[in-house]
Amino acid sequence: MINRRKFIAASVATAIVRPTLASPSVVPLKASVAPVQLAPEGYDTAELWCFDGRSPGPEIRVAQGGSVVRQFQNNLPEPSSVHWHGLRLENAMDGVPGLTQDVVMRGETFDYNFTAPDAGTYWYHSHNRSWEQMARGLYGPLIVEEPDPLDIDQDVTLVFDDWRLDETGALSGNYGTLHDNAHGGRIGNLVTVNGKMEERLQARSGERLRLRLINSANARIFDLGWQGMTGWIVALDGMPLETPQPAERVILAPAQRADLVVDIVQSEDPAVIYMAEDGQGYVLADVAVSAGTRTVRKTSPKLPPNPVPDLTRAPEGEVVAVLMEGGAMGGMRMATHNGQEVSMQDLVQLGMAWALNGVAGLTDKPLFSSDRNALHRVQFINRTAWPHGMHLHGHHFREVMNDGSLGPWRDTLLVGRNETRDIALVANNPGKWLLHCHMLGHQAAGMKTWFEVSV
Ligand code: C2O
Ligand code: CU
């Protein structure tokens, strides 16, 4: 008896006339475990989950309108997937197990291939058990280049993360504890930039740098400032601002990005500084300045717009409310989970701590279903004691400000405790899309839903 597997193998073998293994069109993106020195010399290495052997994974760069083509190869001990955060891509490539694809088992592959419509700073990360896989390092930057580059001297990506290490320098275990998930998430004890405790840049005096800041942390909000350089925020979450904003500070919730253009105006101590909750400033990246001949440019840097939908006025009419409840000190009494009314006490036993519109975790029913290109106003009502970085897949949106004007295009909005914030959205990308908190422990403990856009 010939079994089916052998039979297929045999027929494939005879059908192949030229070798297709190691075809040059396959560009691998390989996830595996690798030892990385995170803590200072003298401490142990940490076993990280890496793309192509490092964390952050390799910087993927494509031209705007070009294709991202990667064969995800899973060599991790458990199933995974890759989500391309902030890209307005086709639904089948969004990398969400159970919604847009099956998980990729250990030893298996998945071919990602999609067009990048918008220039800007994006990133990719695991979307399976992300609270653990990303805490172990499974993410990397994705840069989509404008056809006409900005007039700058250097283009620098700074990926911020926050790790929880034990006293040996290894990753401390206990991923997704209920305590973390019901509070601020997995806050760590070591902050890194590009996987290092301190990043050192080199520049000549007067040079103009583009800094692409990415918060890849599970839970930590980075309040960032800079000194020794004057800067503009030119883009948020990948999308150019209509007018670059002179700034000295930017707050990044998990998953948010900001593009800065800075001029090195001082020869001493230019640096990017993290303003921590303890009131202290910590230098995360500094710049070694050599004497330069460049004169500081006077022009303000402006990026060309991306092909975003037409959205210039706040939508009127029906509001899609998203009531956010739960968590420690939240007073939530019960929620629906898997179709059952469950008390808070029992929810906690099930690992749930948060609810959106009274529902903890995903159900078959979307938050809303939309005709293609319909305009929506979504209202986040945060009745919890915690801030949340609310992220929509497949779309960017604009915040509806109090005066009715529209804020910058974003894909993740930081909604502070007890705040109510509205966004305007053109649902123009067909498919099933997640909407969730990007504090990954909150997502794991119920703070997620989805919406559907018809073809
Ligand atoms: Cu960074 Cu569901 O995504
Ligand atoms: Cu949250």
Side-chain angles (χ1 to χ4, degrees), residues 354 387-390 437-439 442-443 447:
W354 307 91
H388 304 282
M390 302 305 288
C437 179
H438 221 287
M439 276 85 167
H442 294 176
Q443 177 192 0
M447 199 170 246

Side-chain angles (χ1 to χ4, degrees), residues 140-154:
L142 170 52
I143 307 300
V144 184
E145 296 171 339
E146 296 84 19
D148 300 312
L150 274 184
D151 178 21
I152 51 165
D153 299 302
Q154 292 187 53

Side-chain angles (χ1 to χ4, degrees), residues 83 85 96 123 125 127 255 391 393 434 436 438 443:
H83 170 58
H85 183 116
V96 180
W123 63 305
H125 61 75
H127 217 297
H391 170 51
H393 281 220
L434 278 189
H436 63 84
H438 221 287
Q443 177 192 0

